[in-house]
């Protein structure tokens, strides 16, 4: 964990490891947007975390009736299936069903992540 790494680094430099110094530094960097901390994990690139979350909450996936907006999603699904050269004949319909589950029920299935994160690199 971060605290033990800090202590090892401080010891290797011949300094006394001060937990307050680490906590203050992390708090400052987080307040400045240089770090993002969640569930005990420190992310060094908060913009990357934002890019991962953005497709999961994309309002454009939802149509006017609250369901999946097929007109917006279907062209992207077709392009993704074509670009990934999916051999499964049901790839597009599976993606659409998984997107529908996400939009209408808030259920995320792991096979949907490559489609959602296709622009994240």
């Amino acid at each position: 964990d971060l605290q033990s790494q800090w202590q090892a680094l401080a010891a290797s430099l011949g300094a006394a490891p001060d937990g307050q110094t680490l906590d203050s530094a992390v708090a400052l960097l987080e307040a400045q947007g240089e770090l993002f901390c969640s569930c005990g994990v420190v992310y060094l690139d908060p913009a990357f975390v934002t890019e991962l979350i953005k497709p999961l909450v994309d309002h454009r996936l939802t149509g006017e009736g609250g369901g999946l907006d097929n007109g917006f999603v279907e062209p992207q699904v077709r392009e993704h299936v074509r670009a990934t050269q999916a051999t499964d004949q049901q790839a597009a319909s599976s993606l659409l069903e998984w997107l529908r589950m996400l939009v209408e029920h808030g259920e995320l299935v792991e096979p949907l992540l490559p489609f959602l994160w296709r622009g994240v690199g």
Side-chain angles (χ1 to χ4, degrees), residues 48-117:
F48 180 72
V49 177
T50 301
E51 291 302 310
L52 291 177
I53 299 297
K54 196 173 6 176
L56 303 177
V57 295
D58 189 348
H59 68 279
R60 298 172 300 173
L61 296 175
T62 306
E64 291 185 23
L68 185 65
D69 185 348
N70 287 322
F72 174 74
V73 172
E74 284 180 2
Q76 294 179 51
V77 166
R78 281 193 304 273
E79 176 58 32
H80 178 74
V81 169
R82 192 170 30 255
T84 58
Q85 300 175 350
T87 57
D88 179 9
Q89 296 297 325
Q90 298 296 322
S93 60
S94 294
L95 280 172
L96 287 170
E97 179 56 30
W98 296 330
L99 282 164
R100 186 168 287 105
M101 288 169 46
L102 176 64
V103 168
E104 296 176 6
H105 304 288
E107 296 177 34
L108 176 63
V109 295
E110 187 175 342
L112 182 57
L113 293 175
F115 171 77
L116 293 173
W117 290 343

